[in-house]
Amino acid sequence: MITNPTRQRTLRGHKATWPTPRAANNADHQAMLARRLTLRDRWIIRMLHEHHVLTSHQITALAFPSFRSGRMRLRELFQWGVVDRFQPFITVGTAPMHYVLAPAGAAVLAAEDGLDVKELGYRHDRAFGIAHSLRLAHTVGVAEWFTALVDRARHSHAEERSTLGAWWSEARCARHFGDLIKPDAYGRWASAGGEIEFFLEYDFGTEALAKLAGKLAGYAALAEATWITTPLLVWLPTSRREATARRLLARAWRELDDPCSVPVATAAAELLNPEAAHPSPADEVWLSLDTTSGNAVSARRELHRLLEAWPHVVPPHLSTDSQSALRPDSTPARMAVAPAPMPPAPISSESSTGRR
């Protein structure tokens, strides 16, 4: 849950599971997959390649009407060798199943984009290596952050018309901007007529806050190089840590040559209401860095209304073609196309065959 993310220290290893018969990844099997895989299955494949790992709860919240239907379909995809899975060991309770891309799924994705599997950058051992990575909890936490936005959009009222228009992974951001910045993600959110694109720095309480503040220089350099002003969102676990981070960020922000080129807003996970139906980062928890402490409470804004704090920032839908460096559909050569964050709508054939 986004208000209580799993910490890295609780993930001591991955729990072995009972072996399940799986199909061999050969030409006949690929022919079978061409007939069996739905648009949603192919979207899941692309999402796993983009974000490396997603839990069963996240995939269900992203694309399925119920946990049972999601679990049954993921089991089929696992048996077909499309996805792999592991279950981290935790000291209390049971961790959800974590899913990564398997060789058959990588072959499908590479064929769709006209690439070889090697050109796709996929290796089975590397894909499964996330199970033992010290950044597993952070990667899952970022995915949970965006999953909460998608879940909010899927359950939003018609008058809100909420949607997550873009969700780039850290790896994709590094390919685009790695010489200047390396954010945890890039996103675009729209709701109730408001729209914002942003970079995300997801703090888990383990990184030195001085290092976080030092990243502002890179974002300023990117804004100067591209002439594009993109807000930076900093997500922290507690209000106390947010207050400390804001002091350090404000000091570094004022030292920039052009502070207005790097709009910064912060929020804390504990500000969300865990009893709300769909708590998410879209809630009224964001505070602009240039807000004084005297009116901090009243100045908290919803995500789609943050641009009201920065009138000089051009909304994404008003951006010109020259501002194409951050367009969600721009893709470096020899890289898989970024998936749409929102899952495809089911078609009648999927419903008639029971693939819900």
Side-chain angles (χ1 to χ4, degrees):
M1 188 175 181
I2 190 173
T3 57
N4 187 24
T6 303
R7 300 293 175 176
Q8 180 66 39
R9 62 177 177 268
T10 65
L11 304 176
R12 303 301 183 185
H14 66 277
K15 182 179 178 180
T17 58
W18 292 104
T20 302
R22 306 182 70 187
N25 185 27
N26 51 33
D28 290 340
H29 181 60
Q30 289 293 323
M32 182 276 291
L33 291 179
R35 179 171 60 90
R36 294 286 187 88
L37 293 180
T38 66
L39 289 176
R40 182 174 57 191
D41 297 335
R42 296 176 185 274
W43 177 82
I44 292 173
I45 290 172
R46 195 171 292 274
M47 288 288 285
L48 288 177
H49 177 68
E50 175 77 13
H51 304 294
H52 301 308
V53 60
L54 294 170
T55 69
S56 56
H57 296 308
Q58 289 168 353
I59 296 174
T60 298
L62 287 169
F64 290 91
S66 68
F67 181 76
R68 180 177 180 273
S69 62
R71 182 185 61 184
M72 292 176 62
R73 190 58 178 175
L74 287 171
R75 184 175 185 273
E76 289 181 324
L77 294 178
F78 173 74
Q79 291 176 326
W80 296 342
V82 173
V83 301
D84 257 323
R85 65 189 184 188
F86 63 91
Q87 189 174 23
F89 172 79
I90 58 177
T91 55
V92 178
T94 303
M97 201 67 73
H98 290 50
Y99 285 87
V100 299
L101 191 61
V108 170
L109 179 59
E112 284 187 351
D113 288 357
L115 303 172
D116 293 329
V117 174
K118 289 184 179 180
E119 292 176 324
L120 195 65
Y122 173 84
R123 278 179 45 180
H124 192 206
D125 57 338
R126 289 181 180 175
F128 216 87
I130 191 72
H132 308 282
S133 171
L134 295 179
R135 288 182 57 82
L136 173 60
H138 183 272
T139 303
V140 172
V142 173
E144 187 70 20
W145 195 92
F146 280 93
T147 298
L149 285 180
V150 174
D151 188 55
R152 171 70 170 271
R154 292 182 67 197
H155 295 89
S156 60
H157 300 294
E159 59 271 16
E160 292 183 8
R161 300 178 185 176
S162 300
T163 182
L164 182 64
W167 170 13
W168 284 3
S169 65
E170 179 181 356
R172 186 173 296 273
C173 289
R175 288 285 295 270
H176 278 261
F177 320 110
D179 55 336
L180 294 175
I181 63 172
K182 191 178 179 181
D184 292 318
Y186 160 80
R188 179 179 290 182
W189 173 255
S191 180
E195 187 176 9
I196 182 174
E197 63 178 354
F198 56 86
F199 291 118
L200 173 68
E201 289 287 346
Y202 184 92
D203 177 74
F204 225 152
T206 57
E207 182 181 23
L209 291 178
K211 181 179 179 181
L212 176 64
K215 295 180 180 181
L216 295 188
Y219 287 99
L222 178 66
E224 182 180 3
T226 62
W227 289 33
I228 303 174
T229 301
T230 305
L232 172 63
L233 306 185
V234 181
W235 184 262
L236 301 117
T238 65
S239 298
R240 181 176 181 180
R241 186 167 174 85
E242 182 192 15
T244 303
R246 287 181 63 84
R247 288 195 296 269
L248 295 174
L249 287 167
R251 185 184 309 164
W253 183 75
R254 287 191 294 267
E255 294 175 354
L256 298 176
D257 293 336
D258 183 11
C260 291
S261 67
V262 188
V264 182
T266 65
E270 72 175 18
L271 295 177
L272 297 178
N273 179 8
E275 297 182 359
H278 304 282
S280 77
D283 294 345
E284 194 175 349
V285 295
W286 294 100
L287 185 63
S288 173
L289 189 62
D290 53 357
T291 302
T292 60
S293 58
N295 61 349
V297 176
S298 60
R300 296 274 179 182
R301 288 181 168 89
E302 294 175 284
L303 180 56
H304 69 281
R305 298 190 182 280
L306 259 178
L307 290 192
E308 296 174 3
W310 309 306
H312 64 287
V313 179
V314 180
H317 64 279
L318 297 179
S319 299
T320 63
D321 292 338
S322 62
Q323 296 175 315
S324 60
L326 299 178
R327 284 174 53 192
D329 57 348
S330 58
T331 301
R334 320 316 295 172
M335 189 175 186
V337 177
M342 305 292 292
I347 57 179
S348 57
S349 60
E350 293 182 24
S351 300
S352 62
T353 56
R355 296 170 185 165
R356 299 184 181 273

